[in-house]
Amino acid sequence: MTTHPKGDFDLSRAVWQRADGDTSDAAVEVAFVDDLIGMRNSADPDGPVLVFTQAEWDAFVAGAQDGEFDLD
């Protein structure tokens, strides 16, 4: 279990997912455990996990959909 100020993210219960069809060695993976969302790099599955609350995740997804993170 990863203790985090936002709560405990139980890695043993995480079911990691990636975008459909992504077979790359270094994909972004997410897991939803209780009220928290974890994000990791599939190339380093034992590495750090970013932990988001639902509100933070919703803001991140909305920003991505609005192009907030586009490099253009």
Side-chain angles (χ1 to χ4, degrees), residues 19-50:
D20 287 341
D22 188 345
T23 59
S24 66
D25 291 334
V28 172
E29 295 181 323
V30 297
F32 299 86
V33 178
D34 299 327
D35 295 334
L36 297 174
I37 296 94
M39 181 186 294
R40 72 177 184 182
N41 180 344
S42 66
D44 188 13
D46 295 322
V49 174
L50 300 175

